[in-house]
Amino acid sequence: MQLTVKTHAQTEMIDLTAQIQKLLSEHGVQEGICMLYVPHTTAAVTINESADPSVREDILMVLNQMVPWKAAYRHAEGNSPAHVKASLMGASQLVRIENGRLALGTWQGIFFCEFDGPRTRKMDVALIAK
Ligand code: ZN
């Protein structure tokens, strides 16, 4: 399965937890593993706090400080910082499925990370039933 993700900024974290849980509920998987994979070189997926939106703002602030947009990059496309951030955050995540729910911690959410937007993106979702 694939989710379509419309991003709205150059750098952005979008909470997809509810959409992924909806897919899981529609497919009726009770126990197993949910595999998430981002098939892009300038986007990523991460799991972090979803209760306080300022946490994702702080994560993006630190990433932007660590990886400045302007530097002596060699990649001619001009989006090397987006490639670097994508590798720092990673292209995949695994979440256990328990009683038909994503077994996330109380404060955790699943975030699509855009680093070279705005664009229309994809995220692969594979549900592996036990
Ligand atoms: Zn590039």
Side-chain angles (χ1 to χ4, degrees), residues 6-18:
K6 281 198 196 308
T7 67
H8 310 93
Q10 184 185 65
T11 303
E12 185 179 15
M13 287 170 68
I14 298 175
D15 191 341
L16 295 181
T17 313

Side-chain angles (χ1 to χ4, degrees), residues 22-34:
K22 186 165 172 271
L23 272 182
L24 178 52
S25 302
E26 284 166 4
H27 285 77
V29 177
Q30 287 301 304
E31 305 290 330
I33 288 175
C34 175

Side-chain angles (χ1 to χ4, degrees), residues 70-83:
K70 288 204 187 306
Y73 300 116
R74 297 175 57 86
H75 176 47
E77 196 187 5
N79 62 352
S80 274
H83 290 292

Side-chain angles (χ1 to χ4, degrees), residues 1-2 19-36 94-97 100-102 110 124-130:
M1 288 176 283
Q2 219 171 32
Q19 275 188 69
I20 295 162
Q21 179 59 53
K22 186 165 172 271
L23 272 182
L24 178 52
S25 302
E26 284 166 4
H27 285 77
V29 177
Q30 287 301 304
E31 305 290 330
I33 288 175
C34 175
M35 191 207 72
L36 306 164
L94 290 176
V95 183
R96 200 161 53 84
I97 300 165
R101 306 286 304 171
L102 294 164
I110 300 164
D124 293 338
V125 181
L127 304 174
I128 302 148
K130 188 162 86 180

